[in-house]
Amino acid sequence: MITNVTSFGRSGLYDWLIQRVSGVILAAYTFFMVAYLLCNDVTFESWSALHAMLPMKIFNMLAVIALGAHAWIGLWCVVTDYVTTRMMGAKATMIRVAVQMLSGLVMLVYIIWAIDIFWGVK
Amino acid sequence: MLNVSIYRYNPEVDSAPYMQDYQLDTGGKDLMVLDVLELLKAQDPTLSFRRSCREGVCGSDGMNISGKNGLACITSMSDSVRGNKLVLRPLPGLPVIRDLVVDMEQFYAQYEKVKPYLINDTPAPAIERLQSPEDRAKLDGLYECILCACCSTACPSFWWNPDKFIGPSGLLQAYRFLVDSRDTATEERLSNLDDPFSVFRCHGIQNCVSVCPKGLNPTRAIGHIRSMLMGSAT
Ligand code: SF4
Ligand code: SF4
Ligand code: FES
């Protein structure tokens, strides 16, 4: 079995499942947000009241984490398709690992930052 | 006169592949692409391609016909000539040996990986291993594959990772043995497929379905494999 340390769940099935579940969460979140924005007059008060509710905080967090995982797996698939030694020779491995570390780091930063923002809403 | 443009490459003399144009009088008939090739070969004996059965059962003349993979022997001119022009190239993504002849090594290596034979460790019965008509019916749409490679070489995931992704053809065969009631190696077969590449590089693009000359549906088989993996993992 080919394991792969940089894939997210380190198994094809987990990656696939996480990709589906996170996709569903993101779709639900997008749908909710669009519906909310269309149906409500958004003011600072109503917007912060919405995000101060615990269920909304959890929904926000879920969406952010789903986004991070979804992007990780998606980008991992893209770089392991195109940035490979088959496609561009020996330097590919270095470039690929660098891209993966960078994208992983960016996603972690975003997640932590988002926790700080969303959890701070009073 | 039909214009035919054919990919030519003879590594012994050519430094790079090129497209050669031919003209052919088809006598107003709707020939099969393989007939066109045979007539051209009579004009130019250096033109190379594979063929055998000329009736869509051996799978040797898979090629890219006016942009779509197919078997030359069962693809008619009326299905493939656009604006009086026919363009023939080798199957995409595999190394070219000469002209329309490709090296199928990578494709067969993936086929070999799925152990395309019955594994059954129970003692063999006196006559044969029986199967109910219902169980036999599960193999329909799977066993008919002729390994022509039209599907796998139309699949972008196979182009990028031909060494890691099994590809639609191999996966169709994997499922053919996973679903066979006489096979006892199901768990072992599944555990060989659960990495991020073998099955899961399939992104459901369905190029494989649109080109299969036997009308088979590898994407559906891949979906069944995924469900079986899910079932055995949860
Ligand atoms: S459905 Fe899957 S196997 Fe078929 S062409 Fe698309 S990616 Fe390849
Ligand atoms: S599934 Fe169809 S296209 Fe693919 S190798 Fe088999 S017969 Fe050819
Ligand atoms: S020559 Fe046998 S399939 Fe075309």
Side-chain angles (χ1 to χ4, degrees), chain B residues 196-216:
Chain B
F197 285 97
S198 299
V199 175
F200 291 97
R201 259 313 132 124
C202 169
H203 298 309
I205 308 160
Q206 304 213 18
N207 280 5
C208 51
V209 182
S210 80
V211 299
C212 177
K214 307 303 274 184
L216 309 179

Side-chain angles (χ1 to χ4, degrees), chain B residues 143-201:
Chain B
Y143 81 92
E144 299 93 330
C145 172
I146 55 173
L147 298 174
C148 63
C150 287
C151 56
S152 292
T153 59
C155 170
S157 287
F158 189 76
W159 295 340
W160 311 141
N161 286 294
D163 50 341
K164 298 199 187 89
F165 175 50
I166 290 180
S169 170
L171 289 170
L172 189 88
Q173 289 314 299
Y175 183 60
R176 182 246 171 278
F177 288 97
L178 281 168
V179 80
D180 194 311
S181 61
R182 299 161 298 178
D183 192 279
T184 57
T186 310
E187 284 305 312
E188 179 195 326
R189 289 179 188 279
L190 286 175
S191 70
N192 286 331
L193 294 172
D194 179 40
D195 60 89
F197 285 97
S198 299
V199 175
F200 291 97
R201 259 313 132 124

Side-chain angles (χ1 to χ4, degrees), chain A residues 92-105:
Chain A
T93 307
M94 284 243 311
I95 301 177
R96 192 175 68 244
V97 170
V99 172
Q100 281 167 352
M101 305 250 268
L102 196 70
S103 61
L105 193 71

